[in-house]
Amino acid sequence: MSAIGLADGLRERDVSFNLFRTALRQNDLSASQGWEKTLDKLAERLGQDKSLGTYEAGLKDIYTDLTLFGNKVVKIFSLPEQLEELATSMDSGFINEKSVYKKTFPLPLEQEALAAAPLDVDCVAKWSSAEGPAFILCSKQYVVEREALPSGALNDETVDEFGQFDELYGVRKKALQLFDVIAFNFNRGTVEIRMDGLAQQRLSDVEKRLKFVQNLINQYAEANLGTAQILPAPTNFYPCIKKLYESSDGRIGEIGHSTESAGIHRGKMRRRADDFRDDKYHVGGVKGVSELNAHMLAKRWDSPTRHGTVELLIPGTLSIASLTNPVIDIALILSCASEDDYNFVTTKLFDSLKT
């Protein structure tokens, strides 16, 4: 597997180019404008003896980091007592050695092979880290692409039957291979499920697949450890919203909240460098209410690597906030181009959980 093949594999997986470019900068590798020019530049550097080793190692690290940490929908379970037992068991029995995805892993299948692959979610590998093992799951999901067609795309018979159209669009379904992660953190005593595909699918569709992966773990533990429902209730991130808003670090990029006078408000900053808490309209409004009843929040920080901006988004609705015991059990951890980025954001998240 070539280093340039890893970079091209990220493109085939529809990984954000902006995130890839940030990862290159964090690893002191060259980038250009767009995928094509950047791949050409990387191929050039890989062809030079003086830079070959640096670029091979850097691109391997980037592929791993973007697979494990880039733009994930996350659910976290606290499982200190049976954590190591579950991880050890999964090490030997959870990976599907016969999976079709193992033929090219860590690269995605080619489109023809992917289209023929079954609609299964398979664990195909275990990657190790300082915190604990991470199990990589691959699956085929279909995404819908919509493309403008030229005005002459319809033949005369079709025009005669349906008439002329001002605009024409074609819709196609495309198979996309997604890479989800089950990560164990022995330091925190947690299991994290990190879901891929947020840019290609609706959040509700990603959540459905997340629940499926959650059930896979529970079913595996019941069959192999004799423990039914091994995963406890997931961590509730709703209390984090207020603490993250009140903490002076970082920047609030978006917030949804309600007021005592039955007003419902949602505000979003145009630029990533701006803080909603500094917006004059928001500041004036906050002074007039006794408490800000926020039900969703996006907060951003400069990356600890000094390249890029990382983001934590806790999604919620007014209906959730209106419950007696509101629960938001997923968080979106975005724009992380490295493990350092991801650990920085999760530390902020866990700090906001402390009483």
Side-chain angles (χ1 to χ4, degrees), residues 174-195:
K174 175 186 175 182
L176 181 70
Q177 184 173 334
L178 299 180
F179 290 65
D180 303 320
V181 180
I182 301 169
F184 288 76
N185 190 312
F186 293 138
N187 295 329
R188 290 195 177 119
T190 59
V191 179
E192 295 179 21
I193 302 178
R194 307 176 193 151
M195 303 303 293

Side-chain angles (χ1 to χ4, degrees), residues 4-17 20 34-37 39-40 63 66 107-108 174 176 200:
I4 197 66
L6 291 173
D8 193 43
L10 291 171
R11 179 178 64 167
E12 288 298 313
R13 288 169 49 188
D14 204 16
V15 170
S16 160
F17 173 72
F20 178 56
W35 277 106
E36 292 295 339
K37 291 183 179 180
L39 290 174
D40 288 344
Y63 192 92
L66 293 185
L107 295 176
K174 175 186 175 182
L176 181 70
Q200 297 84 12

Side-chain angles (χ1 to χ4, degrees), residues 251 272 299-304 308-312 334-337 341-342 344-345:
R251 302 176 294 277
R272 296 180 70 84
K299 191 167 185 178
R300 300 166 182 151
W301 298 266
D302 292 333
S303 164
T309 303
V310 294
E311 180 173 345
L312 169 64
L334 308 173
S335 302
C336 293
D341 281 352
Y342 186 86
F344 177 86
V345 177

Side-chain angles (χ1 to χ4, degrees), residues 59-257:
L59 288 171
K60 182 179 179 179
D61 288 344
I62 287 171
Y63 192 92
T64 300
D65 281 348
L66 293 185
T67 300
L68 290 175
F69 308 112
N71 289 342
K72 299 295 185 181
V73 179
V74 177
K75 186 177 281 194
I76 300 176
F77 304 84
S78 180
L79 189 67
E81 294 182 0
Q82 292 183 282
L83 195 66
E84 292 196 27
E85 182 186 15
L86 178 60
T88 301
S89 177
M90 288 175 63
D91 189 14
S92 59
F94 193 64
I95 299 171
N96 182 1
E97 298 293 346
K98 297 181 180 180
S99 173
V100 65
Y101 298 109
K102 288 190 70 70
K103 295 179 181 178
T104 57
F105 186 84
L107 295 176
L109 293 173
E110 299 217 354
Q111 187 61 218
E112 185 175 346
L114 182 60
L119 286 170
D120 296 327
V121 178
D122 288 342
C123 180
V124 296
K126 184 195 82 169
W127 287 349
S128 299
S129 71
E131 288 77 19
F135 294 88
I136 317 300
L137 293 81
C138 290
S139 63
K140 174 180 71 174
Q141 303 294 323
Y142 283 102
V143 295
V144 175
E145 296 180 326
R146 188 169 179 263
E147 183 179 341
L149 302 176
S151 58
L154 300 182
N155 59 33
D156 292 340
E157 289 79 5
T158 304
V159 172
D160 289 341
E161 184 172 355
F162 296 101
Q164 293 284 353
F165 295 92
D166 296 324
E167 295 179 284
L168 294 174
Y169 291 92
V171 176
R172 67 166 66 92
K173 288 177 67 177
K174 175 186 175 182
L176 181 70
Q177 184 173 334
L178 299 180
F179 290 65
D180 303 320
V181 180
I182 301 169
F184 288 76
N185 190 312
F186 293 138
N187 295 329
R188 290 195 177 119
T190 59
V191 179
E192 295 179 21
I193 302 178
R194 307 176 193 151
M195 303 303 293
D196 198 10
L198 186 61
Q200 297 84 12
Q201 293 185 305
R202 295 176 300 180
L203 178 58
S204 58
D205 292 328
V206 178
E207 286 189 89
K208 288 177 184 177
R209 200 170 76 257
L210 195 161
K211 290 178 181 177
F212 181 83
V213 173
Q214 183 177 334
N215 287 334
L216 276 183
I217 299 171
N218 282 326
Q219 291 165 8
Y220 176 85
E222 184 169 10
N224 293 273
L225 302 177
T227 304
Q229 201 71 24
I230 194 170
L231 293 179
T235 301
N236 181 14
F237 300 123
Y238 181 80
C240 301
I241 295 176
K242 185 175 186 293
K243 293 181 180 179
L244 287 165
Y245 177 86
E246 292 176 347
S247 176
S248 60
D249 67 323
R251 302 176 294 277
I252 303 300
E254 186 175 359
I255 188 169
H257 65 96

Side-chain angles (χ1 to χ4, degrees), residues 44-55:
E44 179 184 339
R45 296 291 189 271
L46 288 164
Q48 299 171 357
D49 290 340
K50 63 180 181 180
S51 55
L52 173 61
T54 299
Y55 274 74

